[in-house]
């Protein structure tokens, strides 16, 4: 792509989402292509006032570092530009809405549907981790669904690079209460296994309709997390229960790794090397 883009190159349409420091709109490229994009608009004034410059920079750098090679499960960043008031991220438009919306509409997913979506999520997190990126805020709001029902992970504003020292990685709480790992709550430490914890919470939610740890207040939610206080509300297949049990383990060193998750009996029918089959849409 040649010269820098400007907001005038797009027709801004409906709002798709609202973050703490940004708003995402559907935008149509002017001219012949008429292509859809999701443009994330961050107000410069707001970012500076709220001290979020670091997060915006992280998001751009992370998406750029994940872009080489590319992966169907990671939202594509086409370009960025700015004007006097805003920063703009031109992202792939993912038209099927958030995974959260699907869970809320359907209540509980069938085992097979959950397996297919989780397999795509696991494959994506595996790729992300192989590039040294920890997402740190995986949750059903940050998982979008394509037209064909494939998962696309978005919102890398809380991400961090694993090559940083543990000190640089020590995090104040950046995630979302219900999916935050016990080690982040107790020791402000975050590693690949914190994303694995979130995957366990998401799997539970796909099968049960609600996340495993949810209190009346954030504090109550945190108390439930650190005491591993969760219950299956409706019967779940034993292999799912067994996998969730291997993931929701307080000690991150004892928690299942991505490799162990892929080898778990619940994923026995998944051929991890057959990417074409793995990424075939759920609706196809
Ligand atoms: N909401 C947030 N990001 C989005 C995207 N890339 N596509 C569609 N909706 C979104």
């Amino acid at each position: 792509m040649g010269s820098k883009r400007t907001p005038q190159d797009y027709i801004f349409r409906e709002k798709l989402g609202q973050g703490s420091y940004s708003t995402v709109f559907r935008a149509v490229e002017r001219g012949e292509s008429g292509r859809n994009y999701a443009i994330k608009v961050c107000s410069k004034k707001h970012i500076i006032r709220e001290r979020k410059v670091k997060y915006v920079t992280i998001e751009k750098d992370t998406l750029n570092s994940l872009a080489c090679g590319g992966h169907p499960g990671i939202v594509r960043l086409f370009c960025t530009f700015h004007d006097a008031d805003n920063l703009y991220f031109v992202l792939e438009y993912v038209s099927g809405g958030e995974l959260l919306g699907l869970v809320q509409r359907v209540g509980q997913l069938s085992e097979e549907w959950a397996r297919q979506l989780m397999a795509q999520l696991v494959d994506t997190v595996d790729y992300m981790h192989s590039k040294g990126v920890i997402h740190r805020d995986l949750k059903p709001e940050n998982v979008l669904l394509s037209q064909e029902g494939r998962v696309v992970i978005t919102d890398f504003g809380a991400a961090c690079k694993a090559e940083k020292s543990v000190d640089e990685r020590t995090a104040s709480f950046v995630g979302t209460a219900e999916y935050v790992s016990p080690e982040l709550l107790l020791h402000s430490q975050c590693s690949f296994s914190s994303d694995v914890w979130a995957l366990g919470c998401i799997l539970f939610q796909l099968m049960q309709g609600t996340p495993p740890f949810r209190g009346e207040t954030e504090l109550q939610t945190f108390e439930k997390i650190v005491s591993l206080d969760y219950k299956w509300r409706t019967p779940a297949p034993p292999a799912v229960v067994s996998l969730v049990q291997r993931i929701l383990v307080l000690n991150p060193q004892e928690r299942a790794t991505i490799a162990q998750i892929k080898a778990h009996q619940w994923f026995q029918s998944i051929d991890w090397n057959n990417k074409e089959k793995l990424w075939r849409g759920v609706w196809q």
Side-chain angles (χ1 to χ4, degrees):
M1 197 172 294
S3 58
K4 267 286 185 201
R5 301 252 147 183
T6 76
Q8 283 70 45
D9 291 327
Y10 304 90
I11 305 163
F12 283 77
R13 309 304 278 267
E14 75 275 12
K15 193 199 266 191
L16 296 170
Q18 177 90 57
S20 55
Y21 59 87
S22 64
T23 311
V24 182
F25 296 93
R26 181 169 71 85
V28 182
E29 190 171 41
R30 284 186 200 276
E32 265 170 49
S33 94
R35 267 194 285 268
N36 277 306
Y37 292 95
I39 302 192
K40 185 167 185 162
V41 184
C42 314
S43 142
K44 287 183 178 176
K45 224 194 302 187
H46 194 99
I47 293 169
I48 292 166
R49 191 167 4 108
E50 304 283 319
R51 302 170 187 272
K52 302 285 188 198
V53 176
K54 192 175 104 188
Y55 296 116
V56 182
T57 315
I58 285 174
E59 178 151 29
K60 183 178 169 186
D61 292 350
T62 309
L63 281 174
N64 277 326
S65 74
L66 291 172
C68 57
H71 191 280
I74 290 175
V75 75
R76 284 190 61 190
L77 174 64
F78 290 100
C79 63
T80 57
F81 53 85
H82 64 111
D83 59 18
D85 298 323
N86 301 303
L87 304 174
Y88 300 85
F89 285 67
V90 181
L91 299 161
E92 168 189 3
Y93 171 61
V94 186
S95 63
E98 296 171 354
L99 180 58
L100 180 68
L102 176 72
V103 178
Q104 285 173 343
R105 278 195 310 277
V106 178
Q108 297 170 357
L109 270 61
S110 70
E111 185 181 8
E112 205 40 55
W113 196 355
R115 186 173 7 247
Q116 199 62 35
L117 291 179
M118 284 306 298
Q120 293 177 356
L121 271 182
V122 168
D123 185 61
T124 308
V125 172
D126 196 15
Y127 169 80
M128 207 168 75
H129 287 181
S130 77
K131 298 280 177 188
V133 173
I134 309 170
H135 187 285
R136 297 208 296 187
D137 196 16
L138 285 176
K139 56 179 173 178
E141 290 96 310
N142 287 340
V143 177
L144 304 174
L145 295 167
S146 73
Q147 188 87 61
E148 305 81 27
R150 284 181 231 132
V151 309
V152 180
I153 297 180
T154 186
D155 202 346
F156 285 79
C160 89
K161 285 291 239 183
E163 70 230 21
K164 293 204 167 152
S165 72
V166 169
D167 241 20
E168 285 174 286
R169 254 194 275 157
T170 50
S172 46
F173 166 61
V174 287
T176 301
E178 275 110 354
Y179 308 89
V180 72
S181 62
E183 63 273 18
L184 203 101
L185 286 174
L186 294 171
H187 312 294
S188 300
Q189 270 182 13
C190 177
S191 67
F192 295 121
S193 45
S194 315
D195 282 344
V196 170
W197 174 275
L199 284 176
C201 295
I202 295 172
L203 168 56
F204 181 98
Q205 187 166 0
L206 296 185
M207 299 300 295
Q208 297 278 289
T210 48
F213 309 102
R214 177 174 277 172
E216 304 258 314
T217 62
E218 271 200 347
L219 185 62
Q220 279 180 14
T221 300
F222 295 159
E223 281 167 355
K224 284 177 187 259
I225 293 170
V226 298
S227 52
L228 205 63
D229 175 9
Y230 75 95
K231 281 182 199 65
W232 292 88
R233 293 173 269 271
T234 57
V240 175
V241 175
S242 144
L243 178 54
V244 169
Q245 253 170 11
R246 278 295 293 122
I247 298 178
L248 298 182
V249 171
L250 290 179
N251 182 347
Q253 256 107 48
E254 289 169 15
R255 195 172 302 150
T257 60
I258 292 282
Q260 288 167 338
I261 293 173
K262 287 165 87 170
H264 190 274
Q265 54 159 331
W266 192 57
F267 284 128
Q268 211 170 34
S269 60
I270 301 290
D271 178 358
W272 297 100
N273 294 320
N274 189 344
K275 301 285 179 199
E276 196 268 322
K277 181 154 181 243
L278 184 60
W279 285 92
R280 203 170 289 160
V282 176
W283 316 125
Q284 285 172 330

